[in-house]
Amino acid sequence: MADTKKTITVEQVASAARRPEKQTQTLRGLGLDKLNRRRTLEDTPAVRGMINSIPHLVRVVDEA
């Protein structure tokens, strides 16, 4: 059987300007750097933790 990996799509909805450096680095770690950018990432506990640490800056668009 094919090993299907779960993915999650996140979108940046707020700017990282005037935010703590750690939050900016978390956005960069997710591959986001400008408003309305979307990235499809593997759904792992590490990625979920990053998303949960900055819920005011990102939004989950799709979970597949």
Side-chain angles (χ1 to χ4, degrees):
M1 270 175 115
D3 185 24
T4 57
K5 295 186 178 182
K6 294 176 115 181
T7 60
I8 185 168
T9 303
V10 294
E11 177 181 14
Q12 184 176 349
V13 295
S15 174
R18 295 184 306 271
R19 302 283 182 181
E21 184 64 26
K22 187 171 183 177
Q23 292 180 9
T24 303
Q25 291 173 352
T26 302
L27 278 173
R28 291 281 176 162
L30 289 171
L32 301 169
D33 58 353
K34 293 184 180 179
L35 287 178
N36 301 317
R37 292 266 173 111
R38 291 183 178 192
R39 291 289 179 259
T40 301
L41 306 164
E42 189 175 339
D43 191 4
T44 63
V47 170
R48 286 287 182 164
M50 293 170 77
I51 293 169
N52 290 337
S53 70
I54 52 170
H56 53 288
L57 299 178
V58 297
R59 157 174 84 98
V60 176
V61 178
D62 184 35
E63 296 181 44

